[in-house]
Amino acid sequence: MPSLLVYAILAATGLATGVVAHRVRASVHGSFSRHLLLAPLLEGLALLPGFALVGFLSLRVLPSRTLPDMLPWVATFVLTYVLGRFAGRNRSMASAARREAALPFGHWLDLMRTDPEQARQFLNAYLARARLDGTDLVAQLTTACASLQERGDADRDPILHRALETLRAEITRFEHEYARLPRRAV
C-alpha cells in the first residue's frame, strides 16, 4: 500500500475521530463527578478505532515496527485528531452563539402572540441597547430571521410572518443607516 494512501487514511480517520470525540464528550450531562469520570472514558473509546487502525496499518505495511518508523503515522493521526477536535469545538461554539443571539427574538415572538404593544416596546428597547453596545445589528437580525424561520411555517402562522417582515424591515433600515455612516480608517 503506498505511503501517501496510508497518510490519507490516517488523516481522514483522525479528523473524523476528533469530531466524534468532541460530540461524545459534549453529550455527557449531569454532575461534575459524572462528567469528570465518564467524559474521558467515552472520549478514549472514540479514540480506540483510530489507534487500532494505526496499529493494523503498521503491522501490514511497515517492514520494521520500531517507534521511529511508526512515529510519523501516529503523529499524522494525532495532529488531525486535534484539528478535528478544534473543528468540532468551533462549530459547536458558533451554533451556541447563534442560539444565544436568537434567544431574545424568540421571547419577542412569544410577546407578539400575547401582547403586541409590549413586543414592539421590547424590540425597540433591545435594538437601542444593542446599538449602544456596538452590536452588528444586521448580522444579528439576519441570524434571528433564520432562527425564527426554523421555528415554524411563516405561510401558515400570520404572527410569525409579521415578525419576519418586521425583522427584514429593520435589517433594511440598519443597512441603509450603516451605508450613510462615514467609513472609519483602519
Side-chain angles (χ1 to χ4, degrees):
M1 185 179 301
S3 179
L4 188 58
L5 179 62
V6 171
Y7 282 113
I9 291 171
L10 290 173
T13 305
L15 281 173
T17 304
V19 171
V20 168
H22 175 75
R23 298 289 299 204
V24 165
R25 187 176 189 102
S27 70
V28 175
H29 300 288
S31 67
F32 177 72
S33 59
R34 179 181 170 142
H35 189 71
L36 188 65
L37 296 174
L38 191 57
L41 176 69
L42 291 175
E43 189 173 347
L45 289 174
L47 272 169
L48 260 169
F51 281 116
L53 181 65
V54 170
F56 175 76
L57 289 175
S58 67
L59 289 174
R60 291 286 188 187
V61 177
L62 283 178
S64 68
R65 291 166 192 86
T66 61
L67 183 61
D69 290 337
M70 289 179 51
L71 195 58
W73 289 14
V74 173
T76 300
F77 172 75
V78 170
L79 288 176
T80 54
Y81 165 78
V82 170
L83 288 175
R85 285 295 304 251
F86 281 127
R89 181 176 175 269
N90 289 341
R91 186 173 158 216
S92 66
M93 286 177 58
S95 176
R98 282 192 303 273
R99 277 193 311 272
E100 184 179 320
L103 187 64
F105 296 100
H107 175 68
W108 171 68
L109 180 63
D110 293 339
L111 277 176
M112 282 187 73
R113 294 183 194 289
T114 58
D115 188 358
E117 179 58 31
Q118 189 177 8
R120 186 183 59 77
Q121 291 173 358
F122 175 81
L123 182 63
N124 290 339
Y126 181 81
L127 293 176
R129 172 64 188 223
R131 181 182 281 167
L132 289 174
D133 291 343
T135 304
D136 182 5
L137 288 170
V138 172
Q140 190 169 18
L141 291 172
T142 303
T143 301
C145 274
S147 175
L148 291 180
Q149 283 175 333
E150 290 175 0
R151 283 182 130 199
D153 189 10
D155 295 334
R156 294 186 186 147
D157 187 356
I159 295 174
L160 179 59
H161 181 71
R162 191 169 57 237
L164 289 171
E165 284 179 347
T166 302
L167 290 179
R168 288 179 185 126
E170 291 294 330
I171 290 169
T172 303
R173 182 172 70 95
F174 285 117
E175 284 175 339
H176 291 317
E177 185 177 303
Y178 292 157
R180 286 185 300 222
L181 291 176
R183 300 275 183 213
R184 291 186 194 182
V186 177

PDB file of all heavy atoms in Angstrom, residues 29-30 44 95 137 150 186:
ATOM      1  N   HIS A  29     -23.852  14.714  30.307  1.00  0.00           N
ATOM      2  CA  HIS A  29     -24.517  15.689  31.165  1.00  0.00           C
ATOM      3  C   HIS A  29     -24.624  15.110  32.566  1.00  0.00           C
ATOM      4  O   HIS A  29     -24.540  13.918  32.771  1.00  0.00           O
ATOM      5  CB  HIS A  29     -25.915  16.013  30.634  1.00  0.00           C
ATOM      6  CG  HIS A  29     -25.900  16.594  29.267  1.00  0.00           C
ATOM      7  ND1 HIS A  29     -25.475  17.862  28.998  1.00  0.00           N
ATOM      8  CD2 HIS A  29     -26.234  16.054  28.068  1.00  0.00           C
ATOM      9  CE1 HIS A  29     -25.558  18.104  27.712  1.00  0.00           C
ATOM     10  NE2 HIS A  29     -26.011  17.009  27.111  1.00  0.00           N
ATOM     11  N   GLY A  30     -24.814  15.970  33.518  1.00  0.00           N
ATOM     12  CA  GLY A  30     -25.002  15.506  34.887  1.00  0.00           C
ATOM     13  C   GLY A  30     -24.056  16.210  35.829  1.00  0.00           C
ATOM     14  O   GLY A  30     -23.592  17.324  35.586  1.00  0.00           O
ATOM     15  N   GLY A  44     -11.961   8.317  25.205  1.00  0.00           N
ATOM     16  CA  GLY A  44     -10.974   7.263  24.958  1.00  0.00           C
ATOM     17  C   GLY A  44     -11.531   6.160  24.079  1.00  0.00           C
ATOM     18  O   GLY A  44     -10.838   5.636  23.201  1.00  0.00           O
ATOM     19  N   SER A  95     -22.608  27.542  16.848  1.00  0.00           N
ATOM     20  CA  SER A  95     -24.020  27.188  16.981  1.00  0.00           C
ATOM     21  C   SER A  95     -24.594  27.746  18.279  1.00  0.00           C
ATOM     22  O   SER A  95     -25.709  28.276  18.297  1.00  0.00           O
ATOM     23  CB  SER A  95     -24.167  25.668  16.944  1.00  0.00           C
ATOM     24  OG  SER A  95     -25.493  25.296  17.155  1.00  0.00           O
ATOM     25  N   LEU A 137     -26.005  44.870  14.151  1.00  0.00           N
ATOM     26  CA  LEU A 137     -27.424  44.559  14.158  1.00  0.00           C
ATOM     27  C   LEU A 137     -27.883  43.861  12.885  1.00  0.00           C
ATOM     28  O   LEU A 137     -28.796  43.040  12.935  1.00  0.00           O
ATOM     29  CB  LEU A 137     -28.239  45.828  14.404  1.00  0.00           C
ATOM     30  CG  LEU A 137     -28.143  46.346  15.840  1.00  0.00           C
ATOM     31  CD1 LEU A 137     -28.767  47.717  15.962  1.00  0.00           C
ATOM     32  CD2 LEU A 137     -28.810  45.377  16.790  1.00  0.00           C
ATOM     33  N   GLU A 150     -36.793  28.703  11.201  1.00  0.00           N
ATOM     34  CA  GLU A 150     -36.664  27.298  11.577  1.00  0.00           C
ATOM     35  C   GLU A 150     -37.743  26.882  12.570  1.00  0.00           C
ATOM     36  O   GLU A 150     -38.085  25.718  12.664  1.00  0.00           O
ATOM     37  CB  GLU A 150     -35.290  27.035  12.196  1.00  0.00           C
ATOM     38  CG  GLU A 150     -34.162  27.110  11.220  1.00  0.00           C
ATOM     39  CD  GLU A 150     -32.801  26.969  11.886  1.00  0.00           C
ATOM     40  OE1 GLU A 150     -32.757  26.804  13.125  1.00  0.00           O
ATOM     41  OE2 GLU A 150     -31.797  27.021  11.180  1.00  0.00           O
ATOM     42  N   VAL A 186      -8.813  52.296   9.110  1.00  0.00           N
ATOM     43  CA  VAL A 186      -8.365  51.120   9.869  1.00  0.00           C
ATOM     44  C   VAL A 186      -6.929  51.240  10.219  1.00  0.00           C
ATOM     45  O   VAL A 186      -6.091  51.690   9.621  1.00  0.00           O
ATOM     46  CB  VAL A 186      -8.608  49.832   9.054  1.00  0.00           C
ATOM     47  CG1 VAL A 186      -8.094  48.634   9.799  1.00  0.00           C
ATOM     48  CG2 VAL A 186     -10.075  49.690   8.762  1.00  0.00           C
TER      49      VAL A 186
END
